[in-house]
Amino acid sequence: MIVRILGEGQFRVNDDAVAELNRMDAELEAAVERDDEGGLRISLNTLLAHVRNHGTEVPPDSLEPSELIVPHEGSSMEEVRKLLSDDGLPTA
Amino acid sequence: MGVMKRVSLVFKAKANKALDRMEDPRETLDYSYQRQLEMLTKVRRGVADVATSRKRVELQMNQLQQQSTKLEDQARKALSMGREDLAREALTRKSSAQSQLGDLQTQYAQLQGEEEKLTLASQRLQAKVDAFRTRKETIKATYTAAEAQTRINEAFSGISEEMGDVGMAIQRAEDKTAQMQARAGAIDELLASGALDDAIGGRRDDIQSELDAISAGSDVESELSRLRGELESGAPKQIEGGQNGGQGAQGAQNGAAAQQARPTGGNSASLPVSDLPEDGA
């Protein structure tokens, strides 16, 4: 499946790496729900590293949309919340 | 539902909303393509803006470095004149300049990072825009409006996601640049106020004025002793000159030699700071 890291581009991640990815995402979500800024930073970094290590970059001229989108590296709690509420997104 | 899925749904919802506004799906293609070109222009302008900021920080770093070197020279000179208080003041200012320099180095690295990210983002968008243009022509030529719908949706959601990503990257870079502009402005003020004297402008700062005053004082002293020496050796010479030409010429030569010897053997403090040898202290 195709995963986009905001600010970095798209990666194709094999199915066998997806289960682990979902587990990490659950941790990220839990950190957001707890309003735990430190936890957010740690789980986001783990998630980013996993996608970068297990994914291969999608050629830039592909027009395929991504199934999953990871917030950009160094995102704050506020920025992640904005992404989830679509306030932070410029109009397409 | 996880964070990643929710974010991707937000992106898709945005794309769908834009698509729904179009009467004829094929209109979407041209309209979207115009938006893409505008976004490309915007991201390139973003890269240029970040580069300008980075160059400004670089210039300030050079100024602070010169300032710091100058303050150290002043401290060395002050110490050689026995003015520890002035040397201390110069070193305090040097330390402040060094700490500003450290901050600027961090900012510089951040701006460099932003510039690099935006440059890559602009290259990725360019590749997608080119692909979209080709796809757009194919769709228009081959399919009826009804048939085109699915294909347009596919191409559109892919490019729309990229546009959203790039749009955010530009926003982030702008925010960071604005922060740094404010800090750069503060440093410019600091440099201009003389708290950190502007080395490039060549303005005289208070430490330099005091050092110059001391130098001027010792210049007067050395002038005095030179004149005194001239009087002591020159006065008998004149009288002797009246009595004996040969002896007078010799006396004049001695006098000239004494004059030449004085400045070089004199007070090194009268030399400009920049001419001081490194081990001058």
Side-chain angles (χ1 to χ4, degrees):
Chain A
M1 74 163 54
I2 294 181
V3 180
R4 173 182 291 272
I5 298 178
L6 290 177
E8 286 177 46
Q10 292 173 298
F11 297 81
R12 194 177 293 280
V13 178
N14 285 337
D15 290 347
D16 48 339
V18 170
E20 183 68 2
L21 196 63
N22 284 330
R23 196 189 57 73
M24 292 170 174
D25 191 22
E27 273 178 32
L28 177 65
E29 191 173 33
V32 173
E33 273 161 20
R34 286 199 310 273
D35 202 20
D36 172 5
E37 191 90 49
L40 170 91
R41 197 166 32 245
I42 293 166
S43 45
L44 181 57
N45 284 341
T46 315
L47 193 54
L48 288 168
H50 187 76
V51 176
R52 289 177 194 136
N53 291 337
H54 291 85
T56 47
E57 278 185 53
V58 174
D61 60 353
S62 151
L63 288 174
E64 233 179 307
S66 316
E67 277 182 59
L68 301 173
I69 298 183
V70 190
H72 47 73
E73 186 177 20
S75 291
S76 65
M77 183 66 75
E78 194 192 348
E79 285 168 317
V80 173
R81 287 193 196 286
K82 252 189 179 172
L83 273 179
L84 293 172
S85 72
D86 105 353
D87 284 348
L89 217 55
T91 35
Chain B
M1 197 194 305
V3 171
M4 297 186 297
K5 190 77 207 164
R6 278 162 69 192
V7 176
S8 92
L9 288 179
V10 168
F11 271 76
K12 283 194 175 73
K14 270 262 148 89
N16 286 336
K17 219 187 268 176
L19 271 176
D20 288 346
R21 281 198 298 266
M22 302 294 158
E23 296 269 317
D24 177 349
R26 283 177 299 187
E27 264 177 43
T28 321
L29 294 171
D30 290 322
Y31 176 72
S32 172
Y33 185 63
Q34 283 313 311
R35 296 285 315 270
Q36 292 161 31
L37 295 181
E38 285 164 24
M39 186 62 103
L40 267 178
T41 310
K42 222 174 144 185
V43 70
R44 289 193 187 120
R45 202 182 306 133
V47 172
D49 286 349
V50 177
T52 307
S53 271
R54 178 178 55 74
K55 281 175 198 146
R56 186 180 179 191
V57 170
E58 197 172 353
L59 192 71
Q60 289 189 324
M61 279 164 61
N62 290 339
Q63 284 179 315
L64 280 169
Q65 190 53 60
Q66 288 181 24
Q67 185 68 25
S68 185
T69 309
K70 181 185 167 193
L71 283 163
E72 186 173 332
D73 284 343
Q74 288 181 331
R76 187 177 289 127
K77 188 176 170 192
L79 211 54
S80 76
M81 291 170 163
R83 287 293 302 272
E84 198 181 318
D85 59 327
L86 268 187
R88 204 174 283 280
E89 176 60 29
L91 290 177
T92 307
R93 287 182 202 181
K94 184 194 161 195
S95 140
S96 152
Q98 285 290 333
S99 115
Q100 297 281 1
L101 196 57
D103 280 355
L104 286 183
Q105 272 155 354
T106 313
Q107 288 184 37
Y108 186 81
Q110 281 177 3
L111 284 173
Q112 245 180 343
E114 285 303 317
E115 195 178 337
E116 208 171 294
K117 271 189 233 164
L118 268 193
T119 306
L120 289 174
S122 120
Q123 287 165 0
R124 282 196 301 267
L125 181 61
Q126 178 72 67
K128 281 199 165 34
V129 169
D130 290 343
F132 186 91
R133 191 189 55 227
T134 312
R135 186 86 63 93
K136 168 171 90 88
E137 295 315 320
T138 314
I139 293 172
K140 275 175 150 184
T142 325
Y143 299 92
T144 62
E147 285 171 333
Q149 186 71 69
T150 327
R151 283 156 213 286
I152 291 169
N153 286 3
E154 279 167 10
F156 187 77
S157 54
I159 196 91
S160 152
E161 186 185 303
E162 190 70 34
M163 298 264 281
D165 191 354
V166 171
M168 274 190 286
I170 295 173
Q171 187 60 54
R172 281 168 72 81
E174 275 176 3
D175 290 351
K176 214 159 257 172
T177 309
Q179 274 174 24
M180 306 222 169
Q181 294 284 8
R183 286 159 84 177
I187 290 180
D188 274 344
E189 271 178 39
L190 202 63
L191 282 165
S193 74
L196 289 166
D197 182 53
D198 185 4
I200 288 177
R203 245 166 20 85
R204 312 292 282 173
D205 60 309
D206 52 351
I207 293 182
Q208 194 58 48
S209 326
E210 269 206 63
L211 288 174
D212 289 349
I214 301 170
S215 292
S218 52
D219 282 350
V220 170
E221 288 307 315
S222 67
E223 279 283 283
L224 270 176
S225 58
R226 183 180 64 80
L227 289 176
R228 215 172 272 135
E230 259 180 33
L231 282 175
E232 279 163 11
S233 59
K237 167 186 78 189
Q238 282 235 328
I239 301 161
E240 280 166 18
Q243 293 170 340
N244 186 319
Q247 267 188 5
Q250 202 188 352
Q253 271 172 8
N254 286 345
Q259 273 184 29
Q260 277 172 357
R262 288 227 184 257
T264 44
N267 199 335
S268 68
S270 63
L271 289 169
V273 173
S274 56
D275 293 345
L276 275 176
E278 279 302 14
D279 56 350

